[in-house]
Amino acid sequence: MESATIGKSVSELHELLVHKDISSTELTKAYIDRIKSVDPALQAYLTVLEDQALAQAAEVDEKISQGQALKPLEGIPMALKDNMCTEGIRTSCASKMLDNFYPPYNATVTERLRAVGTILLGKLNMDEFAMGSSTENSYFAKTRNPWNLECVPGGSSGGSAVAVAGDEAAFTLGSDTGGSIRQPAAFCGVVGMKPTYGAVSRLGLIAFASSLDQIGPFTKTVRDNALVMNAIAGHDPLDSTSVPYETPDYTKFLVNDIKGLKIGIPREYFGEGIDPEVAKGIQAGIQTLIDLGAEVAECSLPHTEYAIPAYYLIATAEASSNLARYDGVRYGYRADSNDVLGMFKKTRAEGFGQEVKRRIMLGTYALSSGYYDAYYLKAQKVRTLIKEDFDKAFETFDVLLSPTAPTPAFKFGEKSADPLAMYLSDITTVPINLAGIPAISIPAGFVKGLPIGMQLMGKPFGEGSLYRVAYTFEQNTNYHTLKPNLSGEVLSCAGR
């Protein structure tokens, strides 16, 4: 049962449910068995909700038995990154600070997925408070890349990417502040979409950097990704940054045709720091698109070199503000102390990990008196220039294309001792968050046996064009069909 079903796409699973070839309960059990089998090695999950998931599946099966029509995601087992609120279910942000936090409400995306009948399997590991590019910063465990257990899965949504790549969920949600959906999607060989800022509600997403954070889906295929976007996108009146716009049916853009579509290749995204083998793999992907009728030309995004410093000023400043609430008074971890000030200090010293403390300190400094104009304000001005670069490029091109990450997945410990080297691994992804535009990563080949991703960038609310190009590429390549070999022997070695 397990091998015959859990490797399938959401679309295929839906057909099995509709034709009663499998029940939602059987499907859910298969995923739970898979989690029990491989997750001791992969460490994608922080919480598994076996009883709740089976109860939800039984509700769907009752509906099927009554002959009611199934929605596209109904009865499909999925999981959420552990920074999305789930009522009564621990939501830890992979931090000691929130180890005992059980939200009193659901995030909007949690509500919307429940409304369409999905089955919540559990909550997924991540870098603490979404701060990191490798999922090495989790307080609880280091999630492993299923393609090579000695390599990181990317971050901060490492658990979300691994759960899909390792067949531990049919789809997952992650959050992306500077590449945290796209980079792990590339490292793990799955599809990851960062929607336009404001396209998906952030209500109930525990904040890192509020002007950059965005929720999006991880899936096996582009079609699955569009189906999940159909469920989660759209205006939320409870989120002041949610944009009122007419949400399309994203599956309507899934046509195997890009003839005449104009694709720009930013030269800055193929410069210093990009692994030559990754560049070669992406160039091969570009040639595939040319052969399929796309019109491809080089372009320039001249302020790209300032993206990393601008991002790490803006993101850390917003993190410093957002994380001020964790003081031991309201909720979360509370240290023992003889006085209030001592309790504040000990709570934050003991509750936060090293990377979170580093970013709070950087952000507090950037916002401090006398430095605000020199750092934070200037970074915001640079952000505007970066956005204008994209606006100008999109006057000529429908879509822009680059590598998702400058290298394939790296080994554990390879960059964790050098924060700057780790930050530079986001060079091709952070400009997209600064500009607020959508971008998707799709599997585009292998380097040294590890997946690499192709990043497609679009105009604001231009997710449809990204799906069109991504779907066409996927239909004419086989990278998305290849799976990591998670044999019992490999897993038992990893567990030792």
Side-chain angles (χ1 to χ4, degrees):
M1 176 67 71
E2 178 186 310
S3 59
T5 55
I6 60 172
K8 295 183 182 296
S9 68
V10 169
S11 306
E12 291 168 330
L13 294 174
H14 175 70
E15 290 302 312
L16 291 176
L17 289 169
V18 167
H19 294 108
K20 301 183 181 178
D21 295 324
I22 190 173
S23 69
S24 181
T25 298
E26 290 171 330
L27 181 58
T28 302
K29 282 181 178 176
Y31 274 106
I32 290 168
D33 289 344
R34 175 69 169 180
I35 293 166
K36 290 177 179 177
S37 171
V38 304
D39 207 61
L42 296 180
Q43 299 284 292
Y45 279 83
L46 293 178
T47 302
V48 178
L49 304 166
E50 180 173 354
D51 293 342
Q52 176 181 304
L54 290 172
Q56 290 175 348
E59 293 175 11
V60 175
D61 287 337
E62 176 65 22
K63 185 173 180 178
I64 294 171
S65 70
Q66 295 173 0
Q68 297 181 44
L70 285 185
K71 302 181 184 77
L73 299 180
E74 199 156 14
I76 303 295
M78 60 85 189
L80 301 173
K81 185 176 180 179
D82 205 26
N83 60 349
M84 299 173 201
C85 285
T86 42
E87 183 179 356
I89 298 166
R90 188 181 71 154
T91 302
S92 72
C93 268
S95 176
K96 181 178 180 180
M97 185 65 80
L98 291 178
D99 188 14
N100 64 352
F101 177 55
Y102 291 77
Y105 68 99
N106 281 324
T108 295
V109 291
T110 307
E111 290 282 358
R112 288 182 176 177
L113 288 176
R114 188 71 195 107
V116 297
T118 61
I119 312 300
L120 179 60
L121 292 169
K123 306 296 290 293
L124 298 161
N125 199 19
M126 54 185 282
D127 283 300
E128 183 182 7
F129 283 100
M131 297 182 193
S133 305
S134 64
T135 316
E136 291 175 281
N137 294 330
S138 170
Y139 172 69
F140 301 104
K142 289 179 172 63
T143 301
R144 295 175 181 271
N145 191 317
W147 292 92
N148 183 334
L149 299 177
E150 295 180 0
C151 291
V152 304
S156 62
S157 308
S160 299
V162 169
V164 174
D167 292 333
E168 296 185 89
F171 74 88
T172 62
L173 293 189
S175 64
D176 192 312
T177 307
S180 290
I181 290 174
R182 291 158 288 150
Q183 185 244 30
F187 280 10
C188 294
V190 297
V191 179
M193 166 68 86
K194 186 217 84 84
T196 306
Y197 185 81
V200 177
S201 173
R202 291 187 305 108
L203 181 79
L205 174 69
I206 295 175
F208 162 18
S210 303
S211 74
L212 301 164
D213 299 340
Q214 187 63 107
I215 295 171
F218 288 87
T219 57
K220 287 181 169 62
T221 68
V222 175
R223 178 174 292 281
D224 287 359
N225 210 275
L227 287 170
V228 179
M229 271 294 287
N230 278 348
I232 65 173
H235 181 239
D236 177 7
L238 300 178
D239 174 8
S240 62
T241 62
S242 174
V243 177
Y245 73 106
E246 190 172 337
T247 311
D249 176 358
Y250 292 105
T251 62
K252 299 291 187 188
F253 297 96
L254 304 179
V255 291
N256 188 357
D257 178 17
I258 52 168
K259 291 182 179 65
L261 198 88
K262 293 180 172 62
I263 299 177
I265 312 298
R267 66 175 69 96
E268 292 82 3
Y269 286 49
F270 287 84
E272 186 181 350
I274 305 296
D275 184 318
E277 289 299 307
V278 171
K280 183 179 177 182
I282 299 304
Q283 291 292 352
I286 292 170
Q287 187 58 52
T288 298
L289 295 172
I290 292 171
D291 294 342
L292 291 168
E295 298 176 12
V296 177
E298 190 179 76
C299 66
S300 178
L301 300 171
H303 295 94
T304 298
E305 65 178 299
Y306 306 112
I308 289 286
Y311 171 83
Y312 277 99
L313 282 167
I314 294 167
T316 58
E318 294 184 8
S320 168
S321 176
N322 279 324
L323 272 62
R325 70 193 69 175
Y326 304 113
D327 53 13
V329 175
R330 298 167 182 82
Y331 53 86
Y333 178 73
R334 178 172 186 162
D336 292 329
S337 181
N338 295 325
D339 60 84
V340 173
L341 187 58
M343 186 272 288
F344 287 163
K345 290 180 178 178
K346 282 188 68 178
T347 294
R348 292 172 70 80
E350 296 172 10
F352 291 135
Q354 287 300 113
E355 182 61 28
V356 175
K357 290 175 184 174
R358 180 182 294 117
R359 297 197 191 196
I360 289 173
M361 291 169 69
L362 281 169
T364 303
Y365 180 80
L367 291 174
S368 59
S369 178
Y371 294 100
Y372 178 90
D373 288 354
Y375 292 111
Y376 183 74
L377 186 62
K378 184 165 284 188
Q380 290 286 22
K381 291 177 179 178
V382 171
R383 180 182 194 169
T384 299
L385 295 174
I386 291 169
K387 182 186 180 300
E388 289 173 351
D389 285 348
F390 280 106
D391 291 343
K392 186 174 181 181
F394 286 128
E395 289 175 5
T396 304
F397 299 102
D398 301 302
V399 168
L400 304 180
L401 184 156
S402 77
T404 305
T407 67
F410 44 87
K411 296 282 182 72
F412 283 99
E414 190 175 314
K415 297 186 179 184
S416 54
D418 183 354
L420 187 56
M422 186 74 80
Y423 297 168
L424 289 172
S425 65
D426 296 331
I427 184 64
T428 56
T429 53
V430 296
I432 285 79
N433 297 78
L434 290 169
I437 62 173
I440 190 170
S441 178
I442 55 174
F446 290 82
V447 171
K448 304 181 184 76
L450 292 165
I452 61 171
M454 174 190 290
Q455 177 175 239
L456 302 169
M457 299 158 267
K459 302 171 184 177
F461 301 100
E463 285 85 353
S465 295
L466 301 184
Y467 281 134
R468 177 184 170 190
V469 178
Y471 181 78
T472 301
F473 184 82
E474 182 182 82
Q475 293 300 299
N476 290 277
T477 57
N478 71 339
Y479 303 122
H480 68 287
T481 66
L482 304 177
K483 293 182 176 295
N485 178 22
L486 288 172
S487 66
E489 182 180 348
V490 171
L491 294 173
S492 63
C493 288
R496 287 204 286 270

